[in-house]
Amino acid sequence: METEKHIKRYQKQLAKTDILYRPYLDEDIQNSANGADACVMAPILNLFVVWLLKEAEQKKLRHLFFLARDSYPLYLIAGQYCEKLQLKLKCSYFYCSRYSLRVPMYSENTQEALDHVCRGGIDVTLRKILIRSGFEPQKAESLKEYFEMDRELDAVIPYPELKNIKKELSANKKYMEMLRKVSLSRKEAVYRYFRQEGMLEEKIGIVDSGWTGTTQKSINKIRKKCGCRTGVEGYYFGLYETPPGCDPQKYHSFYFSPKKEILNKVFFSNCFLETVLSAPHGTTTGYEEADGRIVPSLALYRSQNKEKTEAFFGILKNYTDKMMKCCRASDIRKMNIKKDKAILQRSLRYFMWDPSPEEAEYYGTLQFSDDLLDDHMQDLAVRMSQKQLRENHFGNKILTAFGIRKKHIHESAWYEASVIRSGHTGMTHKISYSCYKLFSYIRKGIRF
């Protein structure tokens, strides 16, 4: 079976690490479609947690906040490591989302708000834009009429057209007035939640999956409005870029950073990692008072991924439990993070870029949404036609990015697995798509 060959390759790399292979020395890994959970994801996430705790200790931080929802499993295992290493570091789980933090701050800078509202994504529609604005999803139809918008609610908007949408919204007085009103109505609750949970303390850090660092920027904006003078330290699995105007020294990344580890970016799917790390609760949509406390308001939890997510969390916990039993605290402190990451990244690249058909089917059918409130869920690796796969080739993507090609491109959250799920074993599609990613990351690196 193809998956068996992949797992043996993962194990071979894992055995080269100093202590990360110890939990598996006396047992065989089941050759199943989710073998990557045990042989790839559990080891590298444990290494990530060791890295961030060492970094936090070096900075003499007092408190780490693991941000909902991508940091939920990291929060669970970080507590075990803190106890093992006897760290005087408090770890907390903090309910938030890009949506819950951005909407209250829209009124502070409406042009920046429109940047967020009209950002790109997979199949952006007018409905998504109205929801991003902070308006209730069920009122989208009536709002469209109220704002006198002459567009279909659910028609996909090509990426180049989003600039025109932004101009239209900026000139729409009714829309801008309501945007400010909704934003102002949510400020006090988020301020109180920050104060209540300790997010206004000094010497604190946040932990998240990463990508662009905008959540850290939002947190610092709220802290500043509440009187804090210093920014938080941010720890991420990976960062493609940091927000303009922010101190890059406050952004720390493990697997790749804005200017480095380009190949780790090319052979990686951030959407995959977000999906498997996602906590078993809905997205934080805001904050409200209940019995004298501020509690998060959560969107309806969509449990399509429940069985696979629980299986992964179980494997991760089992792996970490064995690490605690078979390794001394001194072993963990002496781990060579740089060396072990270099070893494990080979397996992660291989898995992300060229999954077996069984792996592509198992993980690719996880449900994913790239929008703020998890609306319009679809397969992580959607099946695509030959035409749709070719649309994502280097030339088409470049022409679209520069606004020369106006047609909408049907995209996948994990394109490489979509190629496999669509019945194509050749490398042409993946190589062309990877060339586009490589070009994009080099271009972004030059701009920094």
Side-chain angles (χ1 to χ4, degrees), residues 146-291:
Y146 178 71
F147 295 141
E148 299 176 350
M149 294 177 168
D150 187 25
R151 291 177 181 272
E152 292 296 324
L153 265 180
D154 296 309
V156 176
I157 302 170
Y159 179 75
E161 182 66 15
L162 290 172
K163 291 181 180 179
N164 295 329
I165 299 283
K166 181 181 174 181
K167 291 179 181 178
E168 290 177 18
L169 293 179
S170 181
N172 190 317
K173 292 183 179 180
K174 288 182 179 180
Y175 169 84
M176 295 303 294
E177 182 181 350
M178 190 170 286
L179 183 77
R180 293 188 188 94
K181 185 177 179 180
V182 170
S183 175
L184 290 170
S185 70
R186 300 192 184 190
K187 278 189 189 302
E188 185 58 30
V190 74
Y191 292 165
R192 288 179 60 187
Y193 184 70
F194 268 52
R195 191 173 296 109
Q196 170 187 289
E197 298 300 311
M199 187 57 90
L200 301 183
E201 298 170 2
E202 300 297 323
K203 304 292 287 184
I204 66 173
I206 60 172
V207 183
D208 201 2
S209 52
W211 322 141
T212 60
T214 55
T215 300
Q216 183 173 340
K217 183 178 181 180
S218 297
I219 286 173
N220 280 330
K221 279 186 176 182
I222 295 171
R223 279 170 54 88
K224 188 174 181 180
K225 291 294 290 186
C226 293
C228 295
R229 296 182 179 180
T230 59
V232 300
E233 301 285 340
Y235 297 94
Y236 303 96
F237 188 85
L239 280 174
Y240 295 105
E241 58 187 80
T242 53
C246 294
D247 181 3
Q249 300 301 316
K250 292 284 187 178
Y251 288 77
H252 315 283
S253 54
F254 167 71
Y255 192 63
F256 54 78
S257 58
K259 292 185 178 182
K260 299 178 181 178
E261 297 100 2
I262 286 182
L263 290 182
N264 279 356
K265 298 175 194 175
V266 172
F267 302 111
F268 183 74
S269 168
N270 59 302
C271 300
F272 170 88
L273 193 67
E274 284 182 26
T275 304
V276 298
L277 291 182
S278 190
H281 63 72
T283 302
T284 306
T285 59
Y287 307 93
E288 58 187 1
E289 186 173 350
D291 299 323

Side-chain angles (χ1 to χ4, degrees), residues 41 45 48 67 69-74 93 208-211 237 270-280 309 312-313 316 366:
M41 300 309 300
L45 290 177
F48 172 49
L67 306 186
R69 294 180 300 166
D70 299 356
S71 293
Y72 177 75
L74 304 175
Y93 187 64
D208 201 2
S209 52
W211 322 141
F237 188 85
N270 59 302
C271 300
F272 170 88
L273 193 67
E274 284 182 26
T275 304
V276 298
L277 291 182
S278 190
T309 299
F312 169 64
F313 287 176
L316 181 61
L366 286 164

Side-chain angles (χ1 to χ4, degrees), residues 76-142:
L76 297 180
I77 65 176
Q80 292 178 265
Y81 277 100
C82 283
E83 184 177 350
K84 182 80 172 181
L85 299 173
Q86 297 182 325
L87 298 179
K88 294 180 180 178
L89 179 66
K90 184 178 179 181
C91 293
S92 299
Y93 187 64
F94 190 79
Y95 285 91
C96 68
S97 67
R98 289 172 295 166
Y99 182 84
S100 71
L101 299 179
R102 285 177 182 173
V103 174
M105 304 308 291
Y106 279 169
S107 60
E108 300 294 322
N109 187 331
T110 54
Q111 288 307 304
E112 187 176 85
L114 289 175
D115 288 339
H116 293 311
V117 167
C118 299
R119 67 181 178 83
I122 298 174
D123 297 342
V124 178
T125 64
L126 180 58
R127 187 187 299 275
K128 285 187 178 182
I129 286 174
L130 292 175
I131 292 172
R132 290 174 180 177
S133 304
F135 307 139
E136 295 179 25
Q138 60 270 27
K139 294 183 178 180
E141 189 72 53
S142 58

Side-chain angles (χ1 to χ4, degrees), residues 262-263 265-268 353 389 392-399 401-402 415-416 427-444:
I262 286 182
L263 290 182
K265 298 175 194 175
V266 172
F267 302 111
F268 183 74
W353 196 78
L389 289 170
N392 285 273
H393 283 196
F394 179 83
N396 289 328
K397 295 284 283 185
I398 291 293
L399 293 175
F402 284 98
Y415 177 84
E416 295 84 354
M427 294 294 184
T428 304
H429 293 305
K430 291 188 290 183
I431 289 173
S432 187
Y433 184 71
S434 297
C435 287
Y436 166 72
K437 291 169 75 174
L438 180 61
F439 171 82
S440 298
Y441 299 137
I442 290 175
R443 185 167 171 258
K444 282 184 179 179

Side-chain angles (χ1 to χ4, degrees), residues 28-48:
D28 293 325
I29 300 301
Q30 183 181 1
N31 294 319
S32 60
N34 68 329
D37 282 352
C39 297
V40 181
M41 300 309 300
I44 203 163
L45 290 177
N46 270 263
L47 187 64
F48 172 49

